[in-house]
């Protein structure tokens, strides 16, 4: 096997829901892809694939990181284009789950495979060895299972399954590609029906349905109990079935029924009658707009089993149950569930008990170790913690005793006791510093030693595991340089400092800004560079609005606060030449509105300090980077962003405009992109994004919107961004890093640009698309981006634009409608349109 195999091009066989979306994620990773299906009987031979590609553009959430990516998927059909397979390093089969159809396809395509191509079947549960039997014997060493979860772009899990002949080195290479190239969490599964995640996840769903029926609980009540309270997705249990598709779920259950006759819980592997009736009626869930739930106007209705009709969903949680469910300590929570006689508590305990029981008895048959089982359920079903993690956190021996007692009393779904390994040697769990328990060898198995995992300095940890990569981080969780309530500056044993925020949602307040300034000073004095990186997403949800409002209230010792804000804004006058007087006028304004204006000025000072630091400041971004978070990354020397970074200047949502340098950077970038030509088309793009509060729904779109530059890096695996950020600092300093020269000659669009943007907004206002206050905010954005009341083509500097930002921010903050927006956002977590 070629040890330097590069996946340069991939073919996907089957343009159904999964095949098309797998192809989409491959091109998200910049891997050219050929998507095959049958030749259409009429019209364009590639009609089936072309229809699938059009469908990709309409799906929400989008399988494509950018609509432009679809052009890198080439349509093909088996009748005309099999020769194209010779170009591909990896071929993924993703047709319907029928062994006979898959076998026929293998016979057809095998002669056209490249000499070193890997062939993988994306089956969700069929036997890999059975499928391999239909593949030419001489090629079976290149055959394996690769199970993506739906939707492939967003679901982290991929299960990798070998057949008896699969080359081990081939699997290692494929795992490397999946982890780093596609950003996935890979679990090696045994060749058992439904593998690991579906085996455990579907059993959990079946057990939940079984106990709900026993307790007489409605679907909506079960979902109210089994969602975020248990660290599971909002869709909980039955909403999840609607999202997955009731027919899809039934297929997986039937696969378990047909292929797991020797499973002790086999009697429970059955599709309930009510579910069969819904499927027969075409009520398949979300895709058919009716299933267990049905949306009627704005009301969500739920199926009532007693009447067979839909009723209003009440999400009833019993008296005292909410307090119990809010408990975060699993030891306390499970103890209360076990002892509480309330039917809903007993339902939840029974559900946990039988899932723990099933996992313990099946572990040795379906997985190599407990870590793979927990990770598979986490990544494939969206649980915050895997079953074994919850059990261990709740007190391993205590919970084991409760389970065995219930089994002996005939309360459990199956009568066999827990396996002996569970309680041997006073075991306190399955995860520890040595690894995770592997029943086959009765040992603790460490994580994979594949080189690709050396890129994950802090991989996602399981309870009880070591939380860092020893070879890359010599001081555990890092050594602190300084720390306060808001931030921590630390390092991992090398010469690069890392700044992480401690605030909720990593919002940026006064202390964070002070700490940024201090961190840059520290980095310049003692470190090669500075990385701004959060140990958990998001990067930052923006400015601390609560602190801003509190500052306003504290400053309003006299009732004239609004008037003083307006006076401060009006006193800030500016001239085209130099603009040097702006700072002094704002210093005077600070006397009137100290807690508000001073924070804005400090925010600008912090972002400019990041931009002009003597050492490179790199932002390593994952998740939300909104408002002030976006402004920080726009001023960084380089950004390393995970693909699933959602970036935007969203200040208009609370009635203000970007005033931490974001508006200034938009103007500067417009001028740079125009390259001496007409800057207005570039400026208009930034205006539209800022005035509409548009958020890029991927790092790729953030680059297209101008929030990321061509030189910024996009990484598909979020656990690699810190490693790549360090590499960027090494690359920047290898060439004797210098910050950019100050921008002193920035051309602006001036009055004509403002008038053009305002005219467009007038049309939107008259058409009812924006409110009067939206128009007011938009005019402030237009004035700022265009450089204010100056001639078109006038040259200004960065300070001029920063002063404009501050002027308009204070003026907008003085309005009652902006204050109402901020207050509403704080109370309700969503914008108010007023």
């Amino acid at each position: 096997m070629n040890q330097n195999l590069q996946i340069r091009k991939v073919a996907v066989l089957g343009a159904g829901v999964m095949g098309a979306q797998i192809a989409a994620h491959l091109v998200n990773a910049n891997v050219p892809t050929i998507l095959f299906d049958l030749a259409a009987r009429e019209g364009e031979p590639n009609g089936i694939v072309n229809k699938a590609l059009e469908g990709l553009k309409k799906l929400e959430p989008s399988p494509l990181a950018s609509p432009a990516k679809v052009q890198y998927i080439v349509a093909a059909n088996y009748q005309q284009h099999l020769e194209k397979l010779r170009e591909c390093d990896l071929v993924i089969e993703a047709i319907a789950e029928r062994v006979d159809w898959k076998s026929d396809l293998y016979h057809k395509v095998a002669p056209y495979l490249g000499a070193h191509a890997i062939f993988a079947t994306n089956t969700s549960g069929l036997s890999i060895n059975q499928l391999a039997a239909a593949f030419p014997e001489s090629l079976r060493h290149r055959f394996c299972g690769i199970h993506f979860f739906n939707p492939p772009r967003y679901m982290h899990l991929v299960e990798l399954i070998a057949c008896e002949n699969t080359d081990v080195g081939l699997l290692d290479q494929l795992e490397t590609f999946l982890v780093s190239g596609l950003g996935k969490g890979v679990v090696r599964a045994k060749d058992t029906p439904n593998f690991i995640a579906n085996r455990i996840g579907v059993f959990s769903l079946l057990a939940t349905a079984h106990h709900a029926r026993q307790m007489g609980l409605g679907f909506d009540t079960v979902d109210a109990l089994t969602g975020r309270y248990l660290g599971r997705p909002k869709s909980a249990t039955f909403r999840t079935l609607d999202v997955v598709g009731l027919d899809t779920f039934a297929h997986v259950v039937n696969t378990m029924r047909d292929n797991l006759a020797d499973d002790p819980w086999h009697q429970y592997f059955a599709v309930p009658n009510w579910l069969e009736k819904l499927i027969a009626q075409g009520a398949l869930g979300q895709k058919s707009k009716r299933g267990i739930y049905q949306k009627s106007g704005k009301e969500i209705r739920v199926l009532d089993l007693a009447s067979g009709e839909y009723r209003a969903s009440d999400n009833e949680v019993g008296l005292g149950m909410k307090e119990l469910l809010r408990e975060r300590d699993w030891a306390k929570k499970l103890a209360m569930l076990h002892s509480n006689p309330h039917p809903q508590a007993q339902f939840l305990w029974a559900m946990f008990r039988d899932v723990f029981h099933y996992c313990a008895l099946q572990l040795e048959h379906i997985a190599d170790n407990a870590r793979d089982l927990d990770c598979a359920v986490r990544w494939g079903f969206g649980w915050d913690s895997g079953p074994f993690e919850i059990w261990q956190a709740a007190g391993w021996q205590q919970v084991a005793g409760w389970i065995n007692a219930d089994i002996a009393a005939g309360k459990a779904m199956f009568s066999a006791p827990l396996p002996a390994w569970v309680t041997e040697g006073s075991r306190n769990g399955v995860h520890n510093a040595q690894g995770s328990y592997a029943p086959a060898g009765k040992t603790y198995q460490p994580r994979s030693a594949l080189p690709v995992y050396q890129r994950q300095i802090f991989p996602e940890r399981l309870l009880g595991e070591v939380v860092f990569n020893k070879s890359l981080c010599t001081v555990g969780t890092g050594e602190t340089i300084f720390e306060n309530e808001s931030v921590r500056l630390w390092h991992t044993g090398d010469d690069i400092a890392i700044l992480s925020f401690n605030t909720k949602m990593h919002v940026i307040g006064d202390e964070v800004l002070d700490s940024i300034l201090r961190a840059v000073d520290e980095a310049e004095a003692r470190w090669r560079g500075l990385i701004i990186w959060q140990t958990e997403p998001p990067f930052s949800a923006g400015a601390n609005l609560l602190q801003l409002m509190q500052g306003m209230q504290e400053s309003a010792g006299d009732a004239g606060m609004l008037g003083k804000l307006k006076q401060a804004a009006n006193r800030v006058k500016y001239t085209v030449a130099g603009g040097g007087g702006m700072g002094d006028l704002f210093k005077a304004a600070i006397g009137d509105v100290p807690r508000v204006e001073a924070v804005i000025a400090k925010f600008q000072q912090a972002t400019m300090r990041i931009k002009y630091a003597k050492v490179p400041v790199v932002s390593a971004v994952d998740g939300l980077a909104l408002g002030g978070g976006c402004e920080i990354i726009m001023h960084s020397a380089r950004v390393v962003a995970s693909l699933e970074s959602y970036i935007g200047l969203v200040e208009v949502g609370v009635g203000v405009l970007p005033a931490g340098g974001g508006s200034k950077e938009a103007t500067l970038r417009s001028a740079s992109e125009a390259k001496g030509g007409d800057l207005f088309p570039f400026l208009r793009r930034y205006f539209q994004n800022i005035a509409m509060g548009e958020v890029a729904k991927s790092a790729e779109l953030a680059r297209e919107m101008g929030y990321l530059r061509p030189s910024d890096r996009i990484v598909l695996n979020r656990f690699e961004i810190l490693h790549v950020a360090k590499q960027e600092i090494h690359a920047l300093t290898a060439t004797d890093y210098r910050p950019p020269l100050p921008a002193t000659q920035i051309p602006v669009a001036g009055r004509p640009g403002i008038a053009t943007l305002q005219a467009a907004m007038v049309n939107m206002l008259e058409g009812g698309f924006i409110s009067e206050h939206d128009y007011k905010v938009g005019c402030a954005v237009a004035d700022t981006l265009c450089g204010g009341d100056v001639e078109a083509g006038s040259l200004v500097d960065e300070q001029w634009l920063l002063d404009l930002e501050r002027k308009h921010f204070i003026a907008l903050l003085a309005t009652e409608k902006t204050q109402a927006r901020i207050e509403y956002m704080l109370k309700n977590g969503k914008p108010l349109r007023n």
Side-chain angles (χ1 to χ4, degrees), residues 751-805:
R751 287 187 292 271
I754 296 169
T756 303
L757 295 175
Q758 286 179 339
M761 285 190 292
V762 167
N763 291 334
M764 294 184 72
L765 179 63
E766 292 178 349
F769 297 105
I770 60 174
S771 68
E772 288 188 5
H773 196 58
D774 291 329
Y775 176 76
K776 184 180 184 70
V777 176
C779 287
V781 174
D783 189 82
T784 303
L785 296 189
C786 292
D789 187 16
V790 297
E791 296 294 331
S794 296
L795 301 177
V796 302
D797 62 12
E798 288 183 273
Q799 190 58 52
W800 175 276
L801 296 171
L802 290 171
D803 291 345
L804 273 175
E805 287 183 352

Side-chain angles (χ1 to χ4, degrees), residues 246-503:
L246 301 186
D247 53 338
T248 302
F249 176 69
H251 170 78
V252 176
V253 172
N254 288 334
T255 299
M256 293 176 71
R257 181 198 64 206
D258 296 342
N259 297 284
L260 290 169
D262 59 346
D263 189 302
W265 284 264
H266 185 266
Q267 62 176 306
Y268 301 103
F269 300 162
V271 179
N273 291 334
W274 58 264
L275 196 148
E276 288 185 331
K277 287 180 182 177
L278 286 174
I279 294 172
Q281 294 167 10
L284 306 179
Q286 187 170 281
K287 58 188 173 186
S288 63
K289 305 191 185 305
R290 184 168 75 93
I292 297 169
Y293 290 89
Q294 182 181 41
K295 192 170 184 180
S296 178
K298 291 186 177 181
E299 184 184 34
I300 302 294
R301 300 177 68 80
V302 64
L303 181 67
D304 185 277
L305 284 182
S307 66
E309 302 294 330
Y310 289 89
R311 60 167 173 77
S313 176
D314 58 22
N315 297 326
E316 183 182 353
V317 175
L319 187 66
M321 284 297 295
K322 282 188 179 179
E323 290 72 21
L324 188 161
L325 290 168
R326 289 192 183 109
E327 174 59 59
R328 294 191 173 191
D329 185 322
W330 277 112
K332 294 178 181 177
K333 179 178 282 189
L334 276 192
M336 288 189 286
L337 290 176
H338 177 257
S339 62
N340 193 321
H342 193 290
Q344 291 181 1
Q346 287 303 295
F347 156 72
L348 290 172
W349 160 247
M351 181 189 73
F352 276 114
R353 175 197 66 216
D354 288 309
V355 170
F356 293 160
H357 189 193
Y358 191 78
C359 289
L361 274 169
Q362 297 297 351
L363 175 60
E364 64 179 307
H365 305 297
I366 65 174
D368 290 333
N369 56 64
R371 176 180 52 255
D372 287 349
L373 188 149
D374 273 347
C375 285
V377 176
R378 269 187 175 208
W379 298 338
F381 280 78
W383 293 20
D384 291 350
S385 303
F388 285 132
E389 284 186 282
I390 296 171
W391 183 352
Q392 182 168 327
W396 187 266
Q397 292 295 337
Q398 175 73 78
V399 173
W402 293 337
I403 295 171
N404 273 331
D406 277 7
I407 294 169
K411 296 179 181 179
M413 292 170 69
F414 180 56
S415 60
L418 290 169
W421 66 260
V422 170
T423 54
E424 66 187 6
S426 300
R427 186 184 307 281
N428 62 7
V430 290
H431 306 300
N432 61 31
Q434 285 72 50
S436 295
Y437 186 70
K442 297 185 178 181
T443 59
Y444 285 86
Q445 196 174 92
R447 285 176 175 255
S448 170
L450 283 178
V452 68
Y453 292 110
Q454 299 306 305
R455 296 168 59 86
Q456 298 183 16
I457 303 174
F458 292 93
E460 185 171 10
R461 74 177 181 94
L462 296 174
L463 178 76
E465 278 194 313
V466 174
V467 300
F468 67 98
N469 187 323
K470 290 181 180 177
S471 65
L472 291 180
C473 180
T474 60
V475 286
T477 56
E479 184 172 317
T480 299
I481 301 168
F482 74 77
E483 185 170 15
N484 53 46
E485 288 186 358
S486 295
V487 308
R488 179 187 181 218
L489 186 69
W490 54 289
H491 67 90
T492 62
D494 56 15
D495 55 359
I496 296 172
I498 303 168
L499 182 68
S500 301
F501 301 169
N502 296 331
T503 52

Side-chain angles (χ1 to χ4, degrees), residues 77 93 124 196 203 338 353 397 420 584 621:
N77 65 77
E93 170 268 304
S124 61
I196 303 174
F203 176 82
H338 177 257
R353 175 197 66 216
Q397 292 295 337
D584 291 336
V621 180

Side-chain angles (χ1 to χ4, degrees), residues 527-700:
W527 303 90
R528 180 190 290 262
L530 174 66
I531 297 172
I532 303 176
W533 175 74
Q534 317 301 357
T535 56
E536 293 289 339
F539 179 77
S540 175
N544 187 337
L545 294 176
L546 181 60
Q547 188 180 75
L548 184 65
M549 287 295 284
Q550 289 171 339
M552 288 176 62
Q553 292 163 2
E554 290 169 15
S555 295
D558 60 86
M561 174 62 180
L562 288 181
K564 289 193 172 186
L565 277 166
K566 291 173 183 176
Q567 292 168 17
N570 290 334
R571 281 207 308 273
V572 181
K573 304 299 181 183
Y574 44 88
T575 59
V576 176
M582 292 282 286
D584 291 336
L585 286 168
F586 260 96
K587 286 176 184 175
I590 290 174
D592 292 324
V593 283
R595 294 188 182 277
V596 179
E597 205 280 336
V599 171
I600 301 166
K602 189 184 294 182
F603 208 130
Q604 294 179 341
Q605 181 190 1
T607 55
M608 292 292 278
R609 191 76 178 89
I610 288 170
K611 182 173 183 177
Y612 292 108
K614 296 174 184 176
V615 296
V617 179
V618 173
S619 288
V621 180
D622 181 40
L624 298 177
L626 303 179
C630 181
E631 290 176 301
I632 284 176
I633 71 174
M634 291 179 75
H635 287 80
S636 300
R638 190 79 83 242
V639 180
V640 176
S642 75
L643 182 70
E644 300 307 329
S645 295
Y646 306 97
I647 299 170
L649 295 171
V650 296
E651 286 84 351
V652 296
V654 289
V656 292
L657 83 172
S663 300
K664 175 264 299 179
E665 279 297 302
T667 301
L668 200 157
R669 291 187 182 193
S670 300
S672 176
E673 291 163 16
K675 297 179 180 178
D678 183 6
L679 67 83
F680 191 75
F682 301 94
L683 188 72
R684 180 168 51 201
R685 178 187 66 167
Y686 285 101
F687 170 77
Q688 289 171 341
N689 290 336
I690 294 173
M692 300 303 292
E694 291 288 343
V695 175
K697 294 181 180 179
S698 74
E700 287 285 358

